[in-house]
Amino acid sequence: MQIRKVLNSSVVLVQDDSGEESILLGKGIGYGRKPGQEIDRQPSDRVFIPLSNPDAQPMIELFSSIPSEYLDLTQEIVQDAEATLGVHLSPHIYLMLTDHMHFAVERQQKGIVVSNRVFWEIKHFYRREYEIGLRGLQRAQALLHVTLPEEEAGNIAFHIVNARQDPAAGYDAMQAARLIGEMTNIVTYSMHCTVDSESIHFSRFISHLQFFSERFFSGKLMDSEDDFLFGQMQRGYPEATACAEKIRTFVLRKYNVFLPNEETAYLALHIARLTTHEG
């Protein structure tokens, strides 16, 4: 590939032999480079984004207007997240997280405080992503020489959770965290159950709610015509099923979505499992 334009020391526009143009991201790849020079896209620390990608033009505008250290920070966070979680994140995160971190530093320097209303939920329901966010704050301090508030770890986690989804699916980690918190409250109050948020049983329960919220917001709820499991739960675990029915009623009233019997049965199953272990 040939370099067409150097946006900053970490971003270049390139063109391959077929004439297709792309953005190439990588720490220091633009340093000392000039248009017309050849460049290799192979190293694993480089990210290749075709100009046909909907994020390409906004990325060009953003990366042309902010210091390259912000993109370097995002790349370090993404590499940490992908290694820790064992996933590949959507390239969309390079736009959204870089822009967010730049604005977060700007707000910090101006003394503007913006609260994350679902910070508690993100911190407790997406713990691995939150821990990555905490390490991201340490990287920000090292690269940008700024100390950001702990809530920003939650915001980093939010972008990581979103980047694990298809951007076209309409998934929103903050919405999901809010829904998970609402359902958890219904369970603890209805079942008169005090749960240990550090227990493996609670972690399993939250994992189910995370997968449920992904299906819920992407419109892919489980809906089988076979109500065998639902009938079993009604007979074997009437209290847990009644609690799941309360969640179904709540979701219908607030989100105008009716949960199928299959989803309600699995909710009841996990409620019964949690409350049996947690008492």
Side-chain angles (χ1 to χ4, degrees):
M1 297 186 296
Q2 274 194 344
I3 296 176
R4 289 193 60 250
K5 185 177 182 180
V6 177
L7 299 184
N8 63 42
S9 64
S10 297
V11 188
V12 293
L13 292 182
V14 297
Q15 186 176 49
D16 62 19
D17 291 338
S18 67
E20 183 177 359
E21 297 179 334
S22 305
I23 302 173
L24 192 60
L25 313 178
K27 193 169 184 178
I29 62 170
Y31 185 77
R33 299 275 191 168
K34 295 181 180 179
Q37 288 184 324
E38 291 188 355
I39 190 169
D40 186 7
R41 76 169 186 176
Q42 294 304 317
S44 59
D45 61 344
R46 295 183 180 179
V47 182
F48 182 74
I49 302 174
L51 281 191
S52 57
N53 187 298
D55 288 330
Q57 289 302 324
M59 281 183 179
I60 291 173
E61 294 177 14
L62 177 66
F63 300 152
S64 299
S65 62
I66 66 173
S68 61
E69 287 81 6
Y70 287 94
L71 177 59
D72 294 342
L73 172 62
T74 293
Q75 286 192 281
E76 289 188 16
I77 292 172
V78 170
Q79 288 169 3
D80 182 7
E82 291 185 334
T84 301
L85 303 173
V87 299
H88 288 292
L89 301 182
S90 165
H92 189 60
I93 194 172
Y94 292 99
L95 173 64
M96 301 306 295
L97 183 56
T98 304
D99 187 43
H100 175 87
M101 296 308 295
H102 180 250
F103 190 39
V105 172
E106 187 177 285
R107 291 197 313 267
Q108 179 76 0
Q109 291 171 341
K110 293 181 178 180
I112 300 173
V113 179
V114 178
S115 296
N116 181 341
R117 294 183 179 181
V118 290
F119 172 70
W120 188 92
E121 287 86 350
I122 291 285
K123 179 178 180 178
H124 289 83
F125 300 154
Y126 294 97
R127 292 185 179 181
R128 296 176 72 194
E129 290 87 350
Y130 178 75
E131 289 169 1
I132 295 166
L134 289 176
R135 294 195 292 271
L137 296 187
Q138 294 174 348
R139 289 183 166 90
Q141 189 168 28
L143 281 172
L144 308 174
H145 311 292
V146 61
T147 302
L148 294 172
E150 186 183 349
E151 281 197 348
E152 286 300 335
N155 289 327
I156 293 172
F158 156 76
H159 286 290
I160 293 170
V161 174
N162 276 347
R164 296 183 68 170
Q165 311 297 320
D166 177 1
Y171 184 84
D172 185 321
M174 287 193 177
Q175 273 189 324
R178 189 175 292 112
L179 174 60
I180 291 169
E182 292 164 342
M183 291 192 293
T184 302
N185 285 338
I186 291 172
V187 172
T188 54
Y189 285 117
S190 297
M191 302 298 287
H192 307 290
C193 175
T194 301
V195 298
D196 177 6
S197 62
E198 302 296 326
S199 74
I200 184 64
H201 310 297
F202 185 72
S203 296
R204 288 171 180 162
F205 179 66
I206 293 303
S207 292
H208 173 72
L209 295 188
Q210 288 171 347
F211 286 120
F212 167 81
S213 66
E214 290 175 14
R215 296 192 299 274
F216 182 81
F217 287 110
S218 62
K220 297 178 181 178
L221 290 172
M222 296 185 294
D223 188 7
S224 170
E225 294 182 1
D226 184 358
D227 285 342
F228 178 72
L229 178 60
F230 185 75
Q232 277 193 317
M233 294 306 299
Q234 282 182 314
R235 292 187 293 273
Y237 299 93
E239 292 184 0
T241 304
C243 181
E245 289 284 8
K246 289 182 180 179
I247 292 176
R248 172 148 63 177
T249 300
F250 168 79
V251 168
L252 179 61
R253 288 175 177 171
K254 180 166 182 178
Y255 297 94
N256 199 31
V257 175
F258 181 78
L259 299 184
N261 281 352
E262 186 174 7
E263 287 286 1
T264 306
Y266 276 107
L267 278 172
L269 181 66
H270 286 278
I271 291 168
R273 186 182 187 187
L274 173 70
T275 54
T276 296
H277 287 292
E278 296 291 330

